[in-house]
Amino acid sequence: MKTPVNILKLVGILLCSLLITASSNRSNEIGFWQVLNAKANPFESFWLFPRYFSTHLKQLPQSTLALLARNKIPLAQYEYSLTLLGKGQSETAKLFWLPSLGSLTSQQKIELAEQLLEQSRWGDLKLLANNNRLPRSDVLSHLNLEVGRSYRVIPKLFLQRLGFLSVNPNVEPDPQCRFNVLMMSDHRSGLYKLAELVNIFDKQPEPVKNVFCFSKPMYVAGAIDCNNEATKMAQCNWPSSLLKKHLPDNFDFIIMMPKYGSANVRNEIMHLSSQANYAVFLHELMHFSGFEDEYVLPLSKQAWLCKKSGLVAPNLFISHGEMPPRGWHKSQSCQYYGVAYKPSEKWSIMQYQQLGLSAQYRTLWLKHLDMTNGHISRYFDTLTPANKAILN
């Protein structure tokens, strides 16, 4: 049982502790105030009150924070590096955050990684990951997308939040559209590029609304191997791919976006690199409806196509002495085996993509769709190693 004397002693001890704590806090505040307002030496003041200063570093002027960072105080190095990153001075910032890594909490490492992601500092993020300094987070998932890690290690919920899909055979097409296009890529910038192209397309659907509709971009790295050489034709190994077994069977076309390679359409599959612009995308989309190129075709293609006669595409008539349609003009497509004709005297989108789609070719496109009544080959029916035409 506590006596009145013991109680008084306990109260006295508590009061003394409070006074000491209050005095200490007051000293911390005074020391910090002197640095802010009285030109006190910030380096000396920091070591007098390290805990208080560490908690209030963000309140210091940039010049003071820089001084502490240059004196190799880890938390100051970290805070100063964030300031520099916010100003786009990424290389200078690295000189400060790199030596501070060992002192950072998991949350601080994530905050640093988020800043590096905003600056697209992929090399720095790889450095963090390779040294086990990048905690599990959305930033790590972004990095895994960037380096092309398998779809199996990318959380599906993360992809959903970004507006993308993982490999999934249960994707549903839009029933209001005549043709549904499955979009996919094996790298991060490809996913965003596909979303950008569709966003542009949706502002002015071609040739009219509800002819083509597009799925959300699907991330497929690890399920298919693609040629990624800028000087070669973009192409993926479909026949032997794991992806072939996991494709929905209710879409009409595929757009596959590897990093590099020239655009082309084959077997109802468009290969389009993430460097391609919207004009190239629209040109290739017209190939889905059977349009042919109006520039000089490869000799290997001329060897079989230019031997045909008559209307071989909505925009290409090949003559071996026959009269072309009235108002049509010579095309460069066939230099051998036959003479090619096209509807327009001037260059069109099928000869030079950057011209865009003219009213004449939009009308021709719609007329062709009406004539065929939308009957086409679908990628699911033609996804075989068969020897088929390549349209560039």
Side-chain angles (χ1 to χ4, degrees), residues 167-168 184 218-220 222-224 238 240-247 254 256 383:
V167 173
N168 182 1
M184 52 186 66
M218 180 184 291
Y219 182 67
V220 297
I224 189 168
W238 292 95
S240 61
S241 72
L242 171 66
L243 180 60
K244 183 180 175 182
K245 302 176 183 178
H246 297 281
L247 291 174
I254 288 176
M256 175 68 197
L383 193 52

Side-chain angles (χ1 to χ4, degrees), residues 5-198:
V5 174
N6 290 335
I7 293 175
L8 288 173
K9 285 182 178 180
L10 181 59
V11 171
I13 291 171
L14 291 173
L15 288 172
C16 288
S17 298
L18 289 172
L19 289 172
I20 292 170
T21 301
S23 175
S24 176
N25 287 339
R26 185 61 177 165
S27 297
N28 286 333
E29 293 174 0
I30 291 173
F32 194 78
W33 183 90
Q34 288 177 334
V35 169
L36 291 178
N37 300 285
K39 308 299 182 182
N41 187 310
F43 187 62
E44 293 177 357
S45 299
F46 178 89
W47 289 115
L48 285 173
F49 314 106
R51 182 175 297 179
Y52 188 89
F53 267 70
S54 296
T55 305
H56 295 81
L57 278 176
K58 293 181 180 180
Q59 299 177 25
L60 292 173
Q62 183 176 335
S63 58
T64 305
L65 186 61
L67 177 63
L68 295 177
R70 292 190 183 99
N71 277 279
K72 300 182 179 180
I73 295 174
L75 191 55
Q77 290 176 313
Y78 164 72
E79 291 290 352
Y80 185 51
S81 72
L82 295 185
T83 300
L84 293 173
L85 284 170
K87 295 181 176 181
Q89 300 176 29
S90 304
E91 287 296 329
T92 305
K94 187 174 182 179
L95 300 176
F96 292 95
W97 61 254
L98 189 58
S100 75
L101 286 176
S103 303
L104 301 184
T105 65
S106 178
Q107 183 56 42
Q108 287 170 333
K109 291 172 186 173
I110 291 176
E111 185 179 10
L112 171 62
E114 288 173 345
Q115 290 267 24
L116 294 173
L117 177 63
E118 288 185 14
Q119 303 287 332
S120 297
R121 299 284 293 184
W122 299 113
D124 291 342
L125 289 171
K126 290 177 186 177
L127 176 65
L128 292 179
N130 292 339
N131 288 280
N132 296 319
R133 305 290 189 181
L134 183 55
R136 289 187 178 276
S137 62
D138 281 359
V139 178
L140 179 58
S141 294
H142 275 290
L143 179 61
N144 286 335
L145 282 180
E146 177 66 19
V147 300
R149 293 285 302 277
S150 170
Y151 73 93
R152 294 185 180 91
V153 304
I154 309 296
K156 291 182 179 180
L157 289 178
F158 167 75
L159 287 170
Q160 289 175 11
R161 289 200 305 273
L162 297 181
F164 306 135
L165 301 172
S166 185
V167 173
N168 182 1
N170 299 316
V171 183
E172 291 297 327
D174 187 335
Q176 297 183 19
C177 283
R178 184 179 295 192
F179 305 120
N180 279 275
V181 184
L182 188 63
M183 308 189 78
M184 52 186 66
S185 182
D186 60 356
H187 62 292
R188 180 179 181 273
S189 59
L191 296 174
Y192 282 98
K193 184 68 174 188
L194 289 172
E196 175 191 329
L197 293 175
V198 172

Side-chain angles (χ1 to χ4, degrees), residues 235-291:
Q235 205 61 257
C236 299
N237 188 4
W238 292 95
S240 61
S241 72
L242 171 66
L243 180 60
K244 183 180 175 182
K245 302 176 183 178
H246 297 281
L247 291 174
D249 61 2
N250 46 7
F251 278 73
D252 303 295
F253 302 107
I254 288 176
I255 295 178
M256 175 68 197
M257 182 168 279
K259 281 188 178 181
Y260 305 108
S262 58
N264 62 90
V265 170
R266 183 178 187 178
N267 291 351
E268 287 61 59
I269 300 173
M270 180 194 306
H271 292 89
L272 188 72
S273 80
S274 49
Q275 280 70 49
N277 60 27
Y278 182 72
V280 173
F281 165 75
L282 195 56
H283 171 100
E284 299 301 327
L285 192 65
M286 294 181 73
H287 282 315
F288 279 158
S289 296
F291 280 75

Side-chain angles (χ1 to χ4, degrees), residues 292-298 302 306 316 331-335 340:
E292 274 290 357
D293 295 314
E294 294 172 1
Y295 50 75
V296 179
L297 297 173
Q302 290 189 51
C306 295
L316 197 65
S331 168
Q332 296 182 11
S333 303
C334 294
Q335 301 292 306

